[in-house]
Amino acid sequence: MKRITGIVCATALIACVIISGCKASETAEKGKYTPKGTYPIVTEPITVNIMVAQPPCVEDFNTNEFSKFMEEKTGVKVNWIMVPEQAASEKLPLTLAGGDLPDAFLGMGITFKDQTAYGTEEKLFMPLNKFYSDGTLPNLTKALEDFPGAMGFMTMTDGNIYSLPRLEVCYHCTNAAKMFVYKPFLDKLGLKVPETIDEFYDTLVAIRDNDPNGNGKKDEIPLAGSIIGWNDQVERFIINSFIYCDLDTNISADAELNTGYLLDNKKVDTAVNKPAYREALKFINKLYKEGLIYSGSFTQDSSQLTQLVESSAEPVVGFVAGGWRGQFSSLSGERFLHFQAIAPLQGPQGVREAVNFLSVPGTGALVLSAKTPHAEAILRYFDYMYSTEGTLKQKYGNEGDAWAWAAEGDVGLDGQKAIWKQLKPWNDKDPQNVTFIQGQTIAEISSFRLGQAVDLSGDYYAPKNLEKVLYDETHNLYKPYADVNKEVPPLKYTAEEIEKFSTVKQELANYIRQSAVKFMVGTMDINSDTEWDNYLKNLDKLQLSAVLENMQTAYNRQYK
């Protein structure tokens, strides 16, 4: 707290000057704005500086076609200060400490913790409350109707909102911890899709021993995943046949989210010290020892997983964990067409859970510097992107080329009248300079996602039917086993709580994740009572009880 307090004291006078300066600048610029909700935004062109995290798939924000379109539409030219995506988390604090700030930050991974430190405490971010209520953001206001309680969720502990959100009601993402089977293997072996954990085990053994690819070699890999990748972890799917658990074993994952915490009748608890969790790890360790899980599943990333699935002359992998088939197979390849999702498996005690990823506004997408004199212009510029047209253009590309408005009779993913249709596959792998691809200020709300027209002619699993398949798999296979009341929602903390618990939570999360992997691969013996008791004692030493109490306090403050 000393560092933050010192900065707050040192910048108090500066903050006052900045705030008064902003007011003066905004008053002076009032005559330059057109009526709210109209375009262009300004009567005379202006230039603003925005720092943006640059993904590999966007060549140059300054020459990007969508950037040029936005400049023409709004009269606002953006000087994009590009930071490689992987360096954004390091660049942000350095920039804020340096004092020479851009007008705004886009897609820089600004968290609740950052908003507390640099907004609530240091006053470097501009509070945006008034803009949410004065008509400056009509498209965003409408889109937020899909998120009940959104304003409260985005409000920090000082009563201020410091950012514009990323809005994505990704239906299939809400239950993204999926498992897929290479269906031709089951057909060759005369097996049905497994429904229970015991049937799953028997199917893995059959794939290992009975040569379903027919090449005369014992080269099949019954089950594979990766530790780094979007829901590629095999254990995340399997553990939920024993106890509800959202654990992500990637050591770089968030210290609180996806660390095995859960809600039990609004009480914050954890799965990772329960007997059922131990039984799950025992089962996975058994699979590992019997060669039913690919050993690299606990060390590789998703690109290596894809190579494992695609590189062999004959298909070899039977079951693969992932958020969707494109996580581990080539969208244009033959094998992509034959992987099918399976439902959560019923465990020995009847447990059958689907992990929930809650749809909440992705705060921190756009944050304004407290000193910018162009707040209204910047906010109105990005508000267009929350419209249906703005979302389509920034993510997919140009009308008539990448997308079109739906025709009469077109049907959406949910069987209702469609709104728009996709004309070519979305691609975030190859560099391009037409769109922002992974738009931050975006509104992929329910009506948008489910309003995509579908054409089910030809192969159901073909890439053109991707969104329909994702919807159907989630709706039919996962939603029946999804209890959203078991997932702890994102929590906000005071500066004092952050200072007290951030290191504690990180050390605890590291231990939980590392221990899970060690138990699964056998470097720690999950069958040893002594080893398990030592693990539980270490959880206590790492202040698990205090962390749960802190989370409960934050939960009660926000949601009770």
Side-chain angles (χ1 to χ4, degrees), residues 320-338:
V320 194
W324 68 296
R325 289 172 289 152
Q327 278 295 109
F328 53 81
S329 60
S330 173
L331 197 66
S332 58
E334 181 70 17
R335 291 171 197 180
F336 179 89
L337 300 175
H338 296 296

Side-chain angles (χ1 to χ4, degrees), residues 98 107 178 203 217 219 322 336 376 395 397 416 468 480 485 488:
K178 292 182 171 69
T203 305
K217 302 176 183 178
D219 57 355
F336 179 89
E376 181 177 328
K395 180 172 181 177
Q416 304 301 310
K468 176 60 175 172
N485 296 314
V488 180

